[in-house]
Amino acid sequence: MTPPTNFFASYAEELEASERQLAAARSELRVDLLALGAKQVEVEFEGYDDDGNVEAILVSPATVEVTKEMLRRLEDFGWEFALFFFSGLEIGCGSFGSFEWALETDRIDINCCLRDEEVEPETLENV
């Protein structure tokens, strides 16, 4: 007889693995961006009707030359980071938001506004 599946334990393991993967991507990106001379990254994201995208990425100071590969990595990280904190942000009427990442202190402040539930964005600081 097959032992019963513990869905809660499976979900907790997946969540933990996802958190480790996101932390590793964050750490690697931070090192690479600081090496380029970047001080801050701002990412804007938007989701709607089961789809979503990173809409804008701004790396400061403006003199930092960011490659297409780095922009792709930032876009992937930005979307995964937003989804980690606001799961389902792309469902139904969707949502929009942004985060600011101070690279030297590794502080990220993120805000997100769910279109069908909130008028004011929810803000999470230093995540």
Tab-separated table of all heavy atoms in Angstrom, residues 66-98:
chain	number	residue	atom	x	y	z
A	66	VAL	N	24.557	48.395	-18.290
A	66	VAL	CA	23.937	47.109	-17.980
A	66	VAL	C	23.742	46.344	-19.286
A	66	VAL	O	23.143	46.850	-20.224
A	66	VAL	CB	22.593	47.310	-17.259
A	66	VAL	CG1	21.971	45.980	-16.892
A	66	VAL	CG2	22.784	48.166	-16.012
A	67	THR	N	24.247	45.123	-19.328
A	67	THR	CA	24.139	44.303	-20.538
A	67	THR	C	22.714	43.760	-20.685
A	67	THR	O	21.934	43.760	-19.730
A	67	THR	CB	25.103	43.107	-20.477
A	67	THR	OG1	24.701	42.260	-19.389
A	67	THR	CG2	26.540	43.564	-20.292
A	68	LYS	N	22.412	43.273	-21.880
A	68	LYS	CA	21.110	42.646	-22.113
A	68	LYS	C	20.928	41.438	-21.211
A	68	LYS	O	19.832	41.187	-20.710
A	68	LYS	CB	20.959	42.240	-23.579
A	68	LYS	CG	20.753	43.394	-24.508
A	68	LYS	CD	20.555	42.912	-25.936
A	68	LYS	CE	20.405	44.099	-26.871
A	68	LYS	NZ	20.207	43.663	-28.258
A	69	GLU	N	21.988	40.683	-21.007
A	69	GLU	CA	21.925	39.511	-20.127
A	69	GLU	C	21.593	39.916	-18.694
A	69	GLU	O	20.787	39.281	-18.026
A	69	GLU	CB	23.254	38.742	-20.171
A	69	GLU	CG	23.369	37.615	-19.184
A	69	GLU	CD	22.376	36.478	-19.410
A	69	GLU	OE1	21.812	36.363	-20.516
A	69	GLU	OE2	22.161	35.701	-18.471
A	70	MET	N	22.222	40.999	-18.213
A	70	MET	CA	21.942	41.475	-16.861
A	70	MET	C	20.493	41.964	-16.758
A	70	MET	O	19.823	41.703	-15.756
A	70	MET	CB	22.911	42.595	-16.470
A	70	MET	CG	22.661	43.155	-15.082
A	70	MET	SD	22.913	41.959	-13.757
A	70	MET	CE	24.679	41.831	-13.763
A	71	LEU	N	20.012	42.651	-17.783
A	71	LEU	CA	18.615	43.092	-17.777
A	71	LEU	C	17.657	41.909	-17.748
A	71	LEU	O	16.641	41.944	-17.045
A	71	LEU	CB	18.319	43.975	-18.991
A	71	LEU	CG	18.815	45.403	-18.903
A	71	LEU	CD1	18.583	46.125	-20.223
A	71	LEU	CD2	18.151	46.149	-17.760
A	72	ARG	N	17.991	40.842	-18.475
A	72	ARG	CA	17.148	39.645	-18.458
A	72	ARG	C	17.138	39.023	-17.069
A	72	ARG	O	16.096	38.629	-16.547
A	72	ARG	CB	17.628	38.620	-19.486
A	72	ARG	CG	16.693	37.397	-19.585
A	72	ARG	CD	17.351	36.203	-20.244
A	72	ARG	NE	18.587	35.758	-19.613
A	72	ARG	CZ	18.643	35.075	-18.445
A	72	ARG	NH1	17.563	34.778	-17.797
A	72	ARG	NH2	19.811	34.703	-17.963
A	73	ARG	N	18.313	38.945	-16.445
A	73	ARG	CA	18.395	38.402	-15.083
A	73	ARG	C	17.606	39.248	-14.095
A	73	ARG	O	16.910	38.717	-13.227
A	73	ARG	CB	19.856	38.311	-14.640
A	73	ARG	CG	20.640	37.221	-15.339
A	73	ARG	CD	22.113	37.247	-14.979
A	73	ARG	NE	22.329	37.091	-13.544
A	73	ARG	CZ	23.451	37.485	-12.929
A	73	ARG	NH1	24.437	38.044	-13.604
A	73	ARG	NH2	23.579	37.308	-11.629
A	74	LEU	N	17.704	40.573	-14.243
A	74	LEU	CA	16.949	41.474	-13.378
A	74	LEU	C	15.437	41.327	-13.598
A	74	LEU	O	14.665	41.355	-12.646
A	74	LEU	CB	17.362	42.931	-13.618
A	74	LEU	CG	18.628	43.378	-12.923
A	74	LEU	CD1	19.091	44.714	-13.474
A	74	LEU	CD2	18.403	43.463	-11.423
A	75	GLU	N	15.043	41.167	-14.847
A	75	GLU	CA	13.627	40.987	-15.154
A	75	GLU	C	13.107	39.683	-14.539
A	75	GLU	O	12.049	39.673	-13.902
A	75	GLU	CB	13.417	40.978	-16.663
A	75	GLU	CG	11.975	40.915	-17.074
A	75	GLU	CD	11.790	41.034	-18.579
A	75	GLU	OE1	12.766	41.314	-19.303
A	75	GLU	OE2	10.650	40.837	-19.025
A	76	ASP	N	13.857	38.604	-14.702
A	76	ASP	CA	13.456	37.314	-14.124
A	76	ASP	C	13.378	37.414	-12.597
A	76	ASP	O	12.404	36.968	-11.982
A	76	ASP	CB	14.432	36.213	-14.514
A	76	ASP	CG	14.356	35.831	-15.979
A	76	ASP	OD1	13.387	36.227	-16.664
A	76	ASP	OD2	15.283	35.134	-16.450
A	77	PHE	N	14.404	38.004	-12.002
A	77	PHE	CA	14.411	38.152	-10.546
A	77	PHE	C	13.261	39.044	-10.090
A	77	PHE	O	12.573	38.734	-9.115
A	77	PHE	CB	15.740	38.736	-10.066
A	77	PHE	CG	15.735	39.090	-8.610
A	77	PHE	CD1	15.818	38.106	-7.645
A	77	PHE	CD2	15.621	40.418	-8.214
A	77	PHE	CE1	15.792	38.433	-6.291
A	77	PHE	CE2	15.599	40.752	-6.864
A	77	PHE	CZ	15.680	39.762	-5.906
A	78	GLY	N	13.044	40.149	-10.787
A	78	GLY	CA	11.986	41.086	-10.404
A	78	GLY	C	10.622	40.436	-10.376
A	78	GLY	O	9.840	40.631	-9.442
A	79	TRP	N	10.330	39.636	-11.405
A	79	TRP	CA	9.024	38.978	-11.466
A	79	TRP	C	8.895	37.911	-10.377
A	79	TRP	O	7.880	37.841	-9.683
A	79	TRP	CB	8.798	38.383	-12.854
A	79	TRP	CG	7.433	37.807	-12.980
A	79	TRP	CD1	7.100	36.492	-13.097
A	79	TRP	CD2	6.193	38.525	-12.979
A	79	TRP	NE1	5.743	36.349	-13.168
A	79	TRP	CE2	5.160	37.585	-13.100
A	79	TRP	CE3	5.870	39.874	-12.884
A	79	TRP	CZ2	3.814	37.948	-13.116
A	79	TRP	CZ3	4.528	40.234	-12.902
A	79	TRP	CH2	3.529	39.279	-13.024
A	80	GLU	N	9.929	37.093	-10.195
A	80	GLU	CA	9.888	36.053	-9.162
A	80	GLU	C	9.800	36.658	-7.763
A	80	GLU	O	9.098	36.140	-6.894
A	80	GLU	CB	11.098	35.124	-9.279
A	80	GLU	CG	11.102	34.271	-10.517
A	80	GLU	CD	9.878	33.374	-10.630
A	80	GLU	OE1	9.439	32.800	-9.610
A	80	GLU	OE2	9.349	33.249	-11.743
A	81	PHE	N	10.503	37.763	-7.560
A	81	PHE	CA	10.487	38.433	-6.255
A	81	PHE	C	9.095	38.972	-5.968
A	81	PHE	O	8.557	38.785	-4.874
A	81	PHE	CB	11.522	39.567	-6.247
A	81	PHE	CG	11.748	40.166	-4.895
A	81	PHE	CD1	12.577	39.541	-3.979
A	81	PHE	CD2	11.139	41.356	-4.543
A	81	PHE	CE1	12.790	40.090	-2.725
A	81	PHE	CE2	11.345	41.909	-3.294
A	81	PHE	CZ	12.176	41.287	-2.377
A	82	ALA	N	8.491	39.631	-6.938
A	82	ALA	CA	7.140	40.169	-6.760
A	82	ALA	C	6.142	39.048	-6.486
A	82	ALA	O	5.306	39.151	-5.587
A	82	ALA	CB	6.729	40.966	-7.991
A	83	LEU	N	6.235	37.962	-7.245
A	83	LEU	CA	5.317	36.832	-7.051
A	83	LEU	C	5.514	36.156	-5.698
A	83	LEU	O	4.557	35.641	-5.116
A	83	LEU	CB	5.494	35.793	-8.152
A	83	LEU	CG	4.775	36.063	-9.459
A	83	LEU	CD1	5.119	34.985	-10.472
A	83	LEU	CD2	3.281	36.148	-9.263
A	84	PHE	N	6.746	36.146	-5.199
A	84	PHE	CA	6.996	35.510	-3.911
A	84	PHE	C	6.230	36.223	-2.803
A	84	PHE	O	5.671	35.589	-1.907
A	84	PHE	CB	8.493	35.498	-3.600
A	84	PHE	CG	8.829	34.722	-2.360
A	84	PHE	CD1	8.932	33.346	-2.408
A	84	PHE	CD2	9.025	35.360	-1.160
A	84	PHE	CE1	9.233	32.614	-1.265
A	84	PHE	CE2	9.327	34.643	-0.011
A	84	PHE	CZ	9.427	33.266	-0.062
A	85	PHE	N	6.199	37.543	-2.849
A	85	PHE	CA	5.544	38.307	-1.796
A	85	PHE	C	4.066	38.573	-2.072
A	85	PHE	O	3.292	38.796	-1.141
A	85	PHE	CB	6.286	39.627	-1.551
A	85	PHE	CG	7.586	39.409	-0.852
A	85	PHE	CD1	8.764	39.356	-1.567
A	85	PHE	CD2	7.641	39.205	0.517
A	85	PHE	CE1	9.976	39.123	-0.941
A	85	PHE	CE2	8.836	38.972	1.163
A	85	PHE	CZ	10.007	38.936	0.432
A	86	PHE	N	3.683	38.575	-3.336
A	86	PHE	CA	2.289	38.837	-3.703
A	86	PHE	C	1.827	37.754	-4.675
A	86	PHE	O	1.562	38.021	-5.849
A	86	PHE	CB	2.145	40.239	-4.307
A	86	PHE	CG	2.514	41.327	-3.344
A	86	PHE	CD1	3.753	41.935	-3.403
A	86	PHE	CD2	1.629	41.714	-2.351
A	86	PHE	CE1	4.107	42.931	-2.505
A	86	PHE	CE2	1.979	42.704	-1.439
A	86	PHE	CZ	3.216	43.311	-1.520
A	87	SER	N	1.740	36.559	-4.158
A	87	SER	CA	1.335	35.421	-4.968
A	87	SER	C	-0.014	35.674	-5.613
A	87	SER	O	-0.948	36.129	-4.972
A	87	SER	CB	1.261	34.180	-4.072
A	87	SER	OG	0.826	33.079	-4.808
A	88	GLY	N	-0.105	35.404	-6.914
A	88	GLY	CA	-1.358	35.600	-7.632
A	88	GLY	C	-1.580	37.020	-8.102
A	88	GLY	O	-2.691	37.382	-8.479
A	89	LEU	N	-0.527	37.828	-8.132
A	89	LEU	CA	-0.707	39.228	-8.523
A	89	LEU	C	-1.196	39.395	-9.947
A	89	LEU	O	-1.686	40.442	-10.322
A	89	LEU	CB	0.578	40.031	-8.306
A	89	LEU	CG	1.805	39.743	-9.152
A	89	LEU	CD1	1.786	40.500	-10.464
A	89	LEU	CD2	3.045	40.131	-8.385
A	90	GLU	N	-1.113	38.324	-10.743
A	90	GLU	CA	-1.526	38.405	-12.130
A	90	GLU	C	-2.929	37.849	-12.366
A	90	GLU	O	-3.428	37.851	-13.484
A	90	GLU	CB	-0.525	37.657	-13.017
A	90	GLU	CG	-0.646	36.150	-12.965
A	90	GLU	CD	-0.078	35.440	-11.754
A	90	GLU	OE1	0.243	36.073	-10.733
A	90	GLU	OE2	0.023	34.213	-11.800
A	91	ILE	N	-3.599	37.395	-11.331
A	91	ILE	CA	-4.900	36.743	-11.485
A	91	ILE	C	-6.031	37.775	-11.536
A	91	ILE	O	-6.009	38.773	-10.823
A	91	ILE	CB	-5.125	35.734	-10.340
A	91	ILE	CG1	-4.080	34.627	-10.432
A	91	ILE	CG2	-6.533	35.162	-10.363
A	91	ILE	CD1	-4.074	33.661	-9.286
A	92	GLY	N	-7.033	37.503	-12.366
A	92	GLY	CA	-8.225	38.355	-12.448
A	92	GLY	C	-7.900	39.760	-12.914
A	92	GLY	O	-7.250	39.956	-13.937
A	93	CYS	N	-8.339	40.733	-12.135
A	93	CYS	CA	-8.083	42.136	-12.480
A	93	CYS	C	-6.621	42.498	-12.307
A	93	CYS	O	-6.180	43.550	-12.736
A	93	CYS	CB	-8.945	43.057	-11.629
A	93	CYS	SG	-10.693	42.922	-11.987
A	94	GLY	N	-5.882	41.631	-11.651
A	94	GLY	CA	-4.446	41.818	-11.539
A	94	GLY	C	-4.032	42.857	-10.529
A	94	GLY	O	-4.792	43.266	-9.656
A	95	SER	N	-2.806	43.278	-10.673
A	95	SER	CA	-2.231	44.254	-9.764
A	95	SER	C	-1.004	44.881	-10.411
A	95	SER	O	-0.573	44.489	-11.487
A	95	SER	CB	-1.861	43.580	-8.450
A	95	SER	OG	-0.940	42.552	-8.693
A	96	PHE	N	-0.463	45.848	-9.724
A	96	PHE	CA	0.748	46.509	-10.191
A	96	PHE	C	1.550	46.928	-8.975
A	96	PHE	O	1.021	47.024	-7.865
A	96	PHE	CB	0.421	47.719	-11.067
A	96	PHE	CG	-0.370	48.775	-10.339
A	96	PHE	CD1	0.268	49.836	-9.716
A	96	PHE	CD2	-1.752	48.705	-10.274
A	96	PHE	CE1	-0.464	50.801	-9.034
A	96	PHE	CE2	-2.488	49.653	-9.608
A	96	PHE	CZ	-1.851	50.709	-8.983
A	97	GLY	N	2.831	47.169	-9.187
A	97	GLY	CA	3.657	47.608	-8.084
A	97	GLY	C	5.084	47.853	-8.507
A	97	GLY	O	5.410	47.847	-9.700
A	98	SER	N	5.911	48.036	-7.514
A	98	SER	CA	7.317	48.302	-7.781
A	98	SER	C	8.129	47.957	-6.543
A	98	SER	O	7.589	47.783	-5.457
A	98	SER	CB	7.529	49.768	-8.138
A	98	SER	OG	7.186	50.593	-7.035
